[in-house]
Amino acid sequence: SQPHKLTSSELYIILQGTGRMHIDDETQTIQAGSLVFIPPNALQFIENIGDNDLSFFCVVEPYWQKKEETVFPAEN
């Protein structure tokens, strides 16, 4: 995903694959079965680092609204 911030919290449930989760200044490798909590207003993005698709389910609380999301350009 592109780097972004939400004013609400998120929970990522990793269903398959291997990835890297970036939250503010922290980075963790994640895989199927991982749960990741993202606090409100954290700069975050997820990337696939495996050979297969990275699939996840994201829960946003309260529900996602475009006006509450800020998307930043991806760094290359």
Side-chain angles (χ1 to χ4, degrees), residues 15-55:
L15 303 174
Q16 72 175 24
T18 304
R20 195 171 287 127
M21 187 76 219
H22 304 266
I23 304 172
D24 289 329
D25 295 331
E26 295 183 35
T27 300
Q28 291 286 329
T29 300
I30 47 91
Q31 60 189 11
S34 297
L35 299 174
V36 181
F37 175 76
I38 302 160
N41 299 306
L43 177 62
Q44 52 108 349
F45 67 98
I46 189 170
E47 63 178 315
N48 184 355
I49 60 171
D51 295 327
N52 300 314
D53 289 341
L54 174 63
S55 298

